[in-house]
Amino acid sequence: DLQSTNLVEVCMALTVVSQIFPREMIPAVLPLIEDKLQHSKEIIRRKAVLALYKFHLIAPNQVQHIHIKFRKALCDRDVGVMAASLHIYLRMIKENSSGYKDLTGSFVTILKQVVGGKLPVDFNYHSVPAPWLQIQLLRILGLLGKDDQRTSELMYDVLDESLRRAELNHNVTYAILFECVHTVYSIYPKSELLEKAAKCIGKFVLSPKINLKYLGLKALTYVIQQDPTLALQHQMTIIECLDHPDPIIKRETLELLYRITNAQNVTVIVQKMLEYLHQSKEEYVIVNLVGKIAELAEKYAPDNAWFIQTMNAVFSVGGDVMHPDIPNNFLRLLAEGFDDETEDQQLRLYAVQSYLTLLDMENVFYPQRFLQVMSWVLGEYSYLLDKETPAEVIAKLYKLLMNDSVSSETKTWLIAAVTKLTPQAHSSDTVERLIHEFTISLDTCMRQHAFELKHLHENVELMKSLLPVDRSCEDLAVDASLSFLDGFVAEGLSQGAAPYKPHHQRQEEKLSQEKVLNFEPYGLSFSSSGFTGRQSPAGISLGSDISGNSAETGLKETNSLKLEGIKKLWGKEGYLPKKESKTGDESGALPIPQESIMENVDQAITKKDQSQVLTQSKEEKEKQLLASSLFVGLGSESTVNLLGKADTVSHKFRRKSKVKEAKSGETTSTHNMTCSSFSSLSNVAYEDDYYLNTLHDRGDKELKTFSLNSELLDSESLTELPLVEKFSNCSLSTPSLFADNSMEIFHPPQSTAASVAKESSLASPFLEETTEYIHSNAMEICNNETISVSSYKIWKDDCLLMVWSVTNKSGLELKSANLEIFPVENFKVTEQPGCCLPVTEAESTRSFQYSVQIEKPFTEEILSGFISYHMMDTHSAQLEFSVNLSLLDFIRPLKISSEDFGKLWLSFANDVKQNVKMSESQAALPSALKTLQQKLRLHIIEIIGNEGLLACQLLPSIPCLLHCRVYADVLALWFRSSCSTLPDYLLYQCQKVMEGS
Amino acid sequence: MIKFFLMVNKQGQTRLSKYYEHVDINKRTLLETEVIKSCLSRSNEQCSFIEYKDFKLIYRQYAALFIVVGVNDTENEMAIYEFIHNFVEVLDEYFSRVSELDVSFFNTVFHGTWQAHSSPYQEPIDELPKICSALEPQQACFSPDSSFKGAASTTPIY
């Protein structure tokens, strides 16, 4: 049908294509649809563009070579075709706005024509010219102009024009106005436009029409992040909206308030949110709101009592639907505390007291999560109580345990709490009763816990040392190698038992026995996907319950407990202190501006008072009061940084570090684990390995930064050294992996002189390296009067090496020049050693090397970063740069034989075929292949008659095979790979190469 | 981005539904009942936008018929609100005073004769890629007017 001459048939075919075509079938029809872009009838052109838009949505890689044609569509004589192409552009610009800056002018002209009424009358809707088209264009402009002054300047005029034109009193003009406001606030600001936009918002918010009010609130929510003073102007309206009968309006208002929350108004706002929370029934709303409240409470809590009360409300309402992070974070805060020890104690004490009162109430149902939190806190901190003895607390917990409505998971939490309390309660009947009750429980998990408790209870001394008071954050030294079992193992061996073999070894042995039956490919794939090595005796540790403990989880899986000990060690003494001190500084600096804000607000309110004195009723007064409490802290320039930006605000309850976060996740997983210990053991051991690896990575990075920071060297290395030693002690189960690496990295900083010497010698090896590999020409990427930076790429076999060389042009020496790369999601960028030399002499050149590894296939990506340096006179400066990387930089020849090619070819599932016309100069196969080899770095395996075999790989190791065949002047390319996107990309590159030359 | 388009009457019977994202057939009925329930529970004074789960509903009532559009967060509510009205105007023009009965027989009409029909109204071009393939009221209805010249004439792009 696509090839039919009947217009209707082609239309139908294109419609069907855009509706139901699966990804795999796109290549088959793509050329046909591309042809349709040149069709004489505009409806066909438009439908073709829409079909391509659909393709772009499902497989962006396959249509990227026709971007040029989209540009043609954008310039189409027909409005419909142009409008259709906007969808593609909106999409592409959303993904990467920097690539389309040059089109800004075109969009602006189009919008100007639309706004100016140059369109056919058919496009008018209630005498507004093409409103939806305008909205689309405004949205595109907003994306393009974001943080870009030059591009933004182009659009000021047209935005002004649309704001002016859209004054008709009709709904659709409001829609345009809303979009305009949105755009004005997203692009680089211009005061006149902002003023007009603010006026528009005012009109919206004050409108009696409910839909407009909603729109106004939404706009305000967006705008408030840039300009908090606007909220002050409309505070009374906002208060009215807060009491609005329509819950949707109410919710939107709360969203707005959430954005302007600060330390002073948090109580009122959270109270309003809780009120709404109590009324709402819908689960989704509850989850959402509970998360927000918890976040606000953690950030801005004014005092302990309030914090605990709020969290109690959150837990009891949010219950079991809320995100598991919330209780985890809360418990961590309690356990780790903040800077002030006495305050921590008070907080904990208050928490314990409030939970006890809550538990005292009869016939109240609490959600399971809340009960879990309670039981943990009680188990951990009831020693702070004066009045009630541990025995009484245990009695309460026991009552809960006997309750049928409590889930078995919660019961494990409860038992853990009881276990923790038992050593403090000297002798307790309740415990005995509990043990008696649960050792015959049907639930294996519960029974396990009860037995543990029983054994510990018999040996009070051990129990006390095992479960010390208030040690949830302390570290435990654990013999992870289980050396105390060595005797047992030796005995077993001497009695003729078979030595223990790790899992992977057993697997291999089994495999080798069965090999006769196996075909070779099987064996290969098995051995390559082997298991991460695990050192020997860990597997036999079943039943060695008493080898370690943690007060945190009560008594659980021993292996998992060890993990916690290790983690804590690092978190506590590692790089955490730095962060904490920063927090301290911030909170110290904060109070001063706040006071001045208070004054400002007072003034604002009194002004308002005066103007409204005549009409003020009692109700009004109340509202004013509410307003003043809500908008405290807004309205002066200095507060801008208090709003929205979480980083600059002093988090009272700051998240400590990523390590800890990872930990909390793991802790819960261990909590959730059913304790049939044998089956979970391997699991845990695996986790163990995994964790050590990640930990090791982190440590690695940390140490590296230390080693580079020569000033910090002495002080830091002293504290770090014992730590690392401890570290490797703890991780004996993977000693080879860990100890080696950490020590190696650690050596340089031990003597400053040595490291400097090493660094300075690094400049020369780099030169040697360049000769070994192919590299691109140096290209200057940025410069200023003092330095110039040029970069080039070295295509090493295993990675892409980026080299930035910094030349000091000035006559002065530069101190501590440093280069940093902004993280990009698709890459892993690692610094090569020796990149920071404290001093760069005058007129000399330094180079920084980074190896770049690809993590996710992409087509084009920008790597950017900056250079910071100090001049002699401590004046520091920064210079930003960016470099384009294409996937081609990560393609390497794959040298394999024709047989291997055949085997691989059959094993790959993703293939792409395409015919390419060759230019005259390279009509013969060998010359064509030569071009591919040179330009794309493909490896030519063999040429058989008019067919050719080529192979390449995408780093680190994704192979891609190419089969070519020549008919007359057409080259048929056939790609196959294990990666689905790679063939598309390579095809695109091949087309470019073949057509280009 | 529009996620679905529904026409439901006050009794909760779905007259027309079009999904632009895959939803299981079983889940569709569930979704439709919940959506219409939340729309029916609202009075005239309340606003026509509802936040429902992670997306927004925009509805408009015409006699006993509700038209509900589900959109994601980034959409401009008012634009959609007017788009519904535009849609109804187009229907009205085609059926000359559209009623629910028309809509009931709509499905067959929709996928059949509409392809050949030409309406003087411009289908909202904003939503075209999402909707045009299902309902295509106009066929090359705009004459190339000389006043609009596109972007090419004023700014050379290449």
Side-chain angles (χ1 to χ4, degrees):
Chain A
D1 280 351
L2 279 174
Q3 283 160 317
S4 159
T5 48
N6 185 332
L7 209 65
V8 179
E9 275 174 12
V10 181
C11 269
M12 285 299 271
L14 283 170
T15 307
V16 169
V17 159
S18 61
Q19 287 279 297
I20 56 168
F21 246 50
R23 200 173 173 281
E24 295 75 33
M25 281 172 74
I26 294 174
V29 292
L30 198 53
L32 283 174
I33 293 175
E34 274 180 61
D35 285 345
K36 294 286 173 289
L37 285 175
Q38 267 98 40
H39 203 275
S40 59
K41 218 49 181 163
E42 37 304 285
I43 185 150
I44 304 273
R45 289 206 299 272
R46 200 180 74 214
K47 277 177 173 290
V49 171
L50 290 178
L52 288 174
Y53 170 59
K54 184 76 189 198
F55 289 170
H56 181 78
L57 285 183
I58 45 181
N61 280 330
Q62 301 191 351
V63 289
Q64 58 185 210
H65 60 279
I66 32 185
H67 282 183
I68 298 271
K69 287 179 183 158
F70 290 150
R71 292 195 174 210
K72 222 174 246 166
L74 182 68
C75 307
D76 200 283
R77 205 166 41 82
D78 184 78
V79 189
V81 184
M82 182 271 296
S85 71
L86 287 185
H87 291 280
I88 303 181
Y89 277 108
L90 180 63
R91 177 92 190 172
M92 293 194 297
I93 290 170
K94 214 177 253 174
E95 281 159 12
N96 170 21
S97 67
S98 59
Y100 301 93
K101 297 273 187 208
D102 55 323
L103 282 176
T104 318
S106 313
F107 291 126
V108 169
T109 346
I110 296 173
L111 184 57
K112 228 176 236 163
Q113 292 181 47
V114 175
V115 174
K118 297 259 172 65
L119 251 50
V121 198
D122 287 341
F123 284 90
N124 284 7
Y125 172 78
H126 293 270
S127 69
V128 179
W132 291 280
L133 181 60
Q134 286 191 40
I135 289 170
Q136 189 92 345
L137 280 165
L138 284 169
R139 222 173 266 172
I140 291 180
L141 290 183
L143 286 172
L144 278 174
K146 198 163 197 170
D147 306 323
D148 186 343
Q149 189 175 0
R150 253 206 1 249
T151 327
S152 300
E153 271 164 9
L154 290 173
M155 34 184 116
Y156 289 149
D157 276 350
V158 76
L159 284 177
D160 193 38
E161 174 89 9
S162 7
L163 274 177
R164 208 156 43 79
R165 290 253 179 180
E167 265 165 8
L168 234 103
N169 225 359
H170 190 271
N171 271 339
V172 90
T173 58
Y174 294 133
I176 298 175
L177 276 181
F178 174 78
E179 208 60 47
C180 262
V181 169
H182 204 280
T183 309
V184 166
Y185 273 94
S186 11
I187 63 174
Y188 191 86
K190 189 194 181 197
S191 56
E192 291 163 41
L193 280 178
L194 290 184
E195 223 168 82
K196 279 186 187 164
K199 221 181 275 169
C200 269
I201 295 180
K203 233 188 316 181
F204 281 165
V205 176
L206 296 173
S207 161
K209 283 187 197 160
I210 188 86
N211 284 343
L212 281 186
K213 196 162 253 178
Y214 178 87
L215 225 54
L217 284 174
K218 202 180 157 194
L220 210 52
T221 313
Y222 181 76
V223 165
I224 219 95
Q225 290 160 42
Q226 272 105 15
D227 183 11
T229 47
L230 215 54
L232 276 177
Q233 290 172 19
H234 299 297
Q235 47 180 325
M236 289 318 288
T237 327
I238 296 175
I239 301 298
E240 268 161 31
C241 289
L242 210 52
D243 295 329
H244 203 276
D246 189 347
I248 300 295
I249 295 280
K250 237 179 185 174
R251 207 167 127 197
E252 198 59 34
T253 319
L254 286 179
E255 177 75 33
L256 173 71
L257 289 180
Y258 166 70
R259 297 286 162 86
I260 58 167
T261 310
N262 60 29
Q264 288 117 44
N265 58 16
V266 67
T267 3
V268 194
I269 290 180
V270 168
Q271 191 203 339
K272 285 278 163 198
M273 283 175 139
L274 282 175
E275 272 169 29
Y276 184 83
L277 192 64
H278 284 300
Q279 287 163 14
S280 61
K281 302 270 183 303
E282 207 185 325
E283 188 181 311
Y284 190 83
V285 179
I286 294 176
V287 174
N288 197 337
L289 213 52
V290 155
K292 279 181 183 156
I293 296 176
E295 192 195 326
L296 291 181
E298 281 184 21
K299 257 195 220 164
Y300 304 110
D303 60 71
N304 292 334
W306 183 86
F307 178 60
I308 297 290
Q309 294 289 2
T310 309
M311 289 314 276
N312 283 352
V314 165
F315 286 136
S316 50
V317 179
D320 295 325
V321 290
M322 72 180 155
H323 204 263
D325 273 357
I326 298 171
N328 288 343
N329 281 344
F330 175 69
L331 290 185
R332 208 172 58 232
L333 283 172
L334 273 186
E336 286 165 1
F338 335 104
D339 317 326
D340 185 5
E341 186 61 27
T342 52
E343 201 179 307
D344 289 352
Q345 296 296 2
Q346 277 169 5
L347 177 65
R348 289 168 190 162
L349 184 62
Y350 191 85
V352 170
Q353 279 166 347
S354 77
Y355 292 153
L356 282 179
T357 29
L358 282 177
L359 285 182
D360 272 341
M361 281 190 269
E362 295 287 334
N363 297 326
V364 191
F365 175 77
Y366 298 112
Q368 301 299 323
R369 285 262 173 73
F370 194 22
L371 285 178
Q372 291 167 6
V373 169
M374 281 191 201
S375 60
W376 188 87
V377 173
L378 289 181
E380 210 55 59
Y381 297 116
S382 19
Y383 72 92
L384 293 168
L385 286 173
D386 312 322
K387 277 182 281 170
E388 295 186 68
T389 63
E392 283 169 62
V393 180
I394 291 179
K396 283 197 177 111
L397 293 174
Y398 178 73
K399 215 170 76 193
L400 267 182
L401 264 175
M402 287 296 135
N403 194 337
D404 286 334
S405 62
V406 176
S407 77
S408 64
E409 192 198 340
T410 314
K411 279 186 179 169
T412 28
W413 283 73
L414 285 166
I415 283 218
V418 171
T419 319
K420 277 180 262 181
L421 286 173
T422 315
Q424 296 161 37
H426 301 289
S427 65
S428 167
D429 299 339
T430 334
V431 178
E432 311 255 330
R433 206 140 33 101
L434 190 142
I435 292 170
H436 183 70
E437 201 93 32
F438 282 96
T439 41
I440 50 168
S441 163
L442 282 179
D443 190 336
T444 43
C445 189
M446 294 300 291
R447 212 158 60 212
Q448 163 87 9
H449 279 295
F451 272 116
E452 279 165 8
L453 180 56
K454 187 179 171 193
H455 286 293
L456 284 174
H457 195 54
E458 283 162 8
N459 190 348
V460 179
E461 273 312 302
L462 176 66
M463 190 164 188
K464 274 190 179 157
S465 66
L466 211 54
L467 302 167
V469 168
D470 187 24
R471 287 294 154 83
S472 64
C473 286
E474 308 283 306
D475 320 311
L476 296 157
V478 176
D479 185 2
S481 69
L482 303 177
S483 57
F484 57 89
L485 284 176
D486 284 352
F488 174 77
V489 175
E491 199 178 314
L493 283 175
S494 67
Q495 282 171 5
Y500 174 75
K501 287 171 191 158
H503 186 229
H504 63 99
Q505 197 183 341
R506 272 177 289 168
Q507 190 93 10
E508 270 168 18
E509 276 176 24
K510 218 161 123 195
L511 211 80
S512 63
Q513 282 162 9
E514 288 171 3
K515 210 154 195 174
V516 217
L517 295 172
N518 269 343
F519 295 106
E520 223 172 22
Y522 266 103
L524 277 175
S525 70
F526 256 108
S527 55
S528 62
S529 70
F531 296 79
T532 42
R534 197 150 36 92
Q535 295 285 319
S536 62
I540 336 174
S541 70
L542 163 72
S544 60
D545 276 337
I546 323 168
S547 66
N549 84 53
S550 155
E552 167 124 25
T553 49
L555 203 75
K556 291 262 177 175
E557 254 314 317
T558 36
N559 271 347
S560 61
L561 294 185
K562 281 171 227 154
L563 291 182
E564 272 150 35
I566 295 165
K567 268 172 273 169
K568 291 270 160 105
L569 188 76
W570 179 248
K572 204 74 178 175
E573 290 156 50
Y575 51 93
L576 282 180
K578 270 194 191 166
K579 264 199 175 169
E580 275 164 9
S581 66
K582 213 161 72 191
T583 325
D585 289 347
E586 273 170 11
S587 56
L590 205 65
I592 310 151
Q594 277 168 6
E595 280 171 12
S596 65
I597 297 153
M598 292 282 263
E599 281 169 19
N600 275 338
V601 172
D602 283 349
Q603 281 170 7
I605 290 165
T606 44
K607 235 185 248 167
K608 224 178 175 119
D609 278 348
Q610 284 164 359
S611 67
Q612 291 185 342
V613 144
L614 290 174
T615 54
Q616 219 170 35
S617 64
K618 198 180 171 192
E619 192 185 313
E620 285 277 289
K621 247 182 202 163
E622 267 172 29
K623 283 182 176 174
Q624 293 270 336
L625 211 67
L626 183 58
S628 65
S629 57
L630 274 175
F631 296 96
V632 157
L634 295 177
S636 96
E637 285 298 322
S638 59
T639 46
V640 180
N641 64 346
L642 280 174
L643 305 166
K645 291 175 193 163
D647 295 354
T648 52
V649 179
S650 78
H651 289 194
K652 196 168 183 195
F653 303 82
R654 181 179 280 270
R655 297 192 169 186
K656 291 240 165 170
S657 76
K658 277 188 179 165
V659 184
K660 295 260 168 168
E661 257 164 60
K663 184 219 74 184
S664 78
E666 230 163 314
T667 316
T668 37
S669 75
T670 45
H671 280 310
N672 294 340
M673 216 153 39
T674 48
C675 284
S676 64
S677 48
F678 198 26
S679 65
S680 63
L681 194 68
S682 61
N683 216 338
V684 172
Y686 170 74
E687 263 183 317
D688 200 335
D689 270 348
Y690 165 77
Y691 186 72
L692 279 173
N693 279 336
T694 50
L695 195 68
H696 158 235
D697 280 351
R698 278 207 187 106
D700 216 319
K701 274 186 212 146
E702 271 308 301
L703 291 174
K704 212 179 231 168
T705 49
F706 279 127
S707 74
L708 292 172
N709 210 338
S710 52
E711 283 181 11
L712 281 173
L713 243 177
D714 299 47
S715 57
E716 293 288 357
S717 63
L718 280 177
T719 54
E720 287 300 313
L721 194 58
L723 195 75
V724 170
E725 273 168 8
K726 254 197 224 165
F727 227 129
S728 37
N729 280 342
C730 294
S731 59
L732 272 177
S733 59
T734 50
S736 61
L737 177 82
F738 196 77
D740 284 4
N741 284 328
S742 62
M743 289 335 266
E744 202 175 63
I745 295 156
F746 211 69
H747 273 308
Q750 277 173 348
S751 87
T752 325
S755 70
V756 170
K758 198 175 169 190
E759 275 161 358
S760 53
S761 68
L762 263 161
S764 47
F766 144 72
L767 289 174
E768 288 159 26
E769 249 172 343
T770 54
T771 54
E772 281 174 47
Y773 300 101
I774 352 165
H775 57 90
S776 69
N777 292 328
M779 197 169 60
E780 190 170 86
I781 45 173
C782 64
N783 62 0
N784 62 7
E785 63 277 9
T786 41
I787 60 171
S788 88
V789 183
S790 54
S791 84
Y792 57 98
K793 302 169 182 173
I794 302 175
W795 294 292
K796 280 176 70 166
D797 283 344
D798 54 344
C799 66
L800 175 73
L801 201 63
M802 290 297 305
V803 181
W804 282 276
S805 54
V806 180
T807 312
N808 181 0
K809 293 191 290 193
S810 69
L812 302 165
E813 65 177 22
L814 297 180
K815 274 188 185 152
S816 61
N818 206 353
L819 184 132
E820 264 181 65
I821 305 288
F822 301 128
V824 189
E825 59 175 335
N826 289 336
F827 304 125
K828 207 176 89 192
V829 180
T830 35
E831 201 176 353
Q832 298 285 16
C835 286
C836 182
L837 199 67
V839 176
T840 307
E841 288 88 11
E843 318 259 333
S844 71
T845 302
R846 300 260 345 274
S847 40
F848 297 89
Q849 297 179 52
Y850 283 82
S851 73
V852 184
Q853 236 141 18
I854 191 164
E855 293 201 316
K856 212 171 77 195
F858 61 97
T859 46
E860 197 105 327
E861 194 76 47
I862 293 165
L863 195 65
S864 52
F866 61 87
I867 292 216
S868 60
Y869 56 89
H870 289 274
M871 296 291 287
M872 278 299 281
D873 46 351
T874 68
H875 153 80
S876 76
Q878 267 193 11
L879 196 58
E880 291 203 21
F881 60 83
S882 63
V883 181
N884 262 326
L885 292 181
S886 78
L887 194 62
L888 214 53
D889 290 325
F890 297 92
I891 300 278
R892 300 283 177 277
L894 179 65
K895 290 179 178 128
I896 51 173
S897 67
S898 302
E899 289 85 53
D900 289 339
F901 183 92
K903 273 184 209 160
L904 280 173
W905 183 262
L906 293 177
S907 66
F908 291 154
N910 303 297
D911 68 344
V912 172
K913 277 191 215 179
Q914 181 92 10
N915 291 341
V916 182
K917 270 203 176 134
M918 290 188 288
S919 57
E920 307 238 323
S921 61
Q922 43 172 343
L925 182 66
S927 68
L929 295 189
K930 202 104 204 166
T931 338
L932 290 180
Q933 186 182 20
Q934 282 164 358
K935 299 242 167 100
L936 302 183
R937 268 169 269 158
L938 304 178
H939 172 65
I940 302 177
I941 299 169
E942 208 176 351
I943 299 176
I944 315 162
N946 61 351
E947 292 177 38
L949 307 178
L950 294 96
C952 68
Q953 59 176 336
L954 173 69
L955 291 176
S957 59
I958 304 171
C960 184
L961 307 177
L962 168 62
H963 176 269
C964 317
R965 185 194 284 266
V966 180
Y967 311 95
D969 63 340
V970 174
L971 184 65
L973 299 170
W974 190 358
F975 288 92
R976 272 198 178 185
S977 169
S978 54
C979 167
S980 58
T981 48
L982 191 55
D984 292 329
Y985 175 77
L986 277 173
L987 175 64
Y988 168 55
Q989 291 294 345
C990 280
Q991 277 176 330
K992 242 171 63 177
V993 168
M994 301 309 281
E995 282 162 9
S997 54
Chain B
M1 194 81 99
I2 296 185
K3 293 192 168 189
F4 58 79
F5 185 97
L6 292 177
M7 277 177 127
V8 197
N9 69 6
K10 264 190 168 168
Q11 282 80 46
Q13 292 161 308
T14 311
R15 289 303 184 197
L16 175 84
S17 71
K18 173 77 191 164
Y19 289 82
Y20 299 99
E21 261 171 23
H22 181 73
V23 181
D24 268 351
I25 298 284
N26 309 335
K27 283 188 186 152
R28 286 186 188 189
T29 11
L30 202 73
L31 183 95
E32 280 161 22
T33 39
E34 273 186 47
V35 163
I36 189 65
K37 222 173 19 190
S38 50
C39 289
L40 281 171
S41 67
R42 297 179 64 81
S43 68
N44 277 341
E45 291 90 57
Q46 295 183 314
C47 80
S48 339
F49 317 129
I50 311 174
E51 282 169 40
Y52 173 77
K53 296 206 171 142
D54 54 344
F55 50 88
K56 283 192 179 137
L57 304 174
I58 293 142
Y59 70 92
R60 223 169 159 155
Q61 190 180 2
Y62 294 93
L65 204 62
F66 277 95
I67 296 183
V68 190
V69 182
V71 299
N72 68 0
D73 249 3
T74 55
E75 199 61 63
N76 182 332
E77 287 92 351
M78 193 52 99
I80 300 292
Y81 186 68
E82 278 311 293
F83 160 65
I84 296 176
H85 189 67
N86 188 334
F87 178 70
V88 174
E89 275 178 9
V90 172
L91 290 188
D92 204 41
E93 189 74 20
Y94 174 66
F95 290 105
S96 54
R97 295 212 55 75
V98 68
S99 69
E100 198 191 328
L101 265 183
D102 293 324
V103 182
S104 314
F105 298 108
F106 204 25
N107 280 330
T108 43
V109 179
F110 244 81
H111 302 299
T113 45
W114 272 51
Q115 282 292 328
H117 177 68
S118 159
S119 147
Y121 277 89
Q122 173 61 44
E123 182 69 18
I125 35 186
D126 179 48
E127 309 311 330
L128 268 178
K130 300 151 203 164
I131 195 162
C132 76
S133 357
L135 16 134
E136 188 69 42
Q138 86 282 36
Q139 176 113 184
C141 58
F142 28 82
S143 53
D145 193 307
S146 54
S147 58
F148 179 81
K149 296 194 183 66
S153 56
T154 38
T155 42
I157 295 182
Y158 326 108

